[in-house]
Amino acid sequence: MKLPIKCSFFAVAALLSNFSVASQLNNVSVAAININKGLGEYLFIRTSVAPVQNGCQTDLNWNYVLPLNDALSKNIFSILLAAQTSKAKVTLTGTGTCSPWGIEYLTDITISSN
């Protein structure tokens, strides 16, 4: 009877250790973007604020990664390019989940007028 309880405890602990809270970077600029054809259709994004290792984020070279697998993601890519070119401040929000590279996925962008 005790074995299933222990297994359940470890299963829940394993799930919670993979859980991450979504990050948000406010009033930052887009410092660099990268597409690596060898990695597929993904946009890597670095901001003026250095990435922090927390939750699933383990790659400290990039803040976010954006899969370019639909029209909306490609529109977000265009907004990021415009923000980088104009040096506009943005707010970026992650999903709380990470790519196989240890970089959080991007879900939202807001451009500030400041």
Side-chain angles (χ1 to χ4, degrees), residues 38-76:
L39 297 176
E41 291 190 57
Y42 293 92
L43 178 70
F44 297 87
I45 304 141
R46 184 180 319 123
T47 68
S48 56
V49 174
V52 176
Q53 185 173 357
N54 59 9
C56 63
Q57 182 85 16
T58 58
D59 185 325
L60 301 181
N61 295 306
W62 302 99
N63 297 83
Y64 295 104
V65 63
L66 177 67
L68 298 174
N69 56 357
D70 59 28
L72 180 56
S73 295
K74 291 175 184 174
N75 288 340
I76 292 172

Side-chain angles (χ1 to χ4, degrees), residues 28-34 44-50 61-63 80 83-85 87-88 90 92:
V28 298
S29 58
V30 179
I33 53 177
N34 173 270
F44 297 87
I45 304 141
R46 184 180 319 123
T47 68
S48 56
V49 174
N61 295 306
W62 302 99
N63 297 83
L80 286 163
Q84 183 183 33
T85 302
K87 297 181 180 13
V90 297
L92 301 174

Side-chain angles (χ1 to χ4, degrees), residues 24-30 75-93 106 108-114:
Q24 185 173 65
L25 297 176
N26 298 302
N27 203 31
V28 298
S29 58
V30 179
N75 288 340
I76 292 172
F77 180 19
S78 296
I79 293 168
L80 286 163
L81 281 173
Q84 183 183 33
T85 302
S86 67
K87 297 181 180 13
K89 297 294 184 181
V90 297
T91 295
L92 301 174
T93 306
L106 179 71
D108 184 74
I109 180 172
T110 303
I111 296 180
S112 306
S113 60
N114 300 349

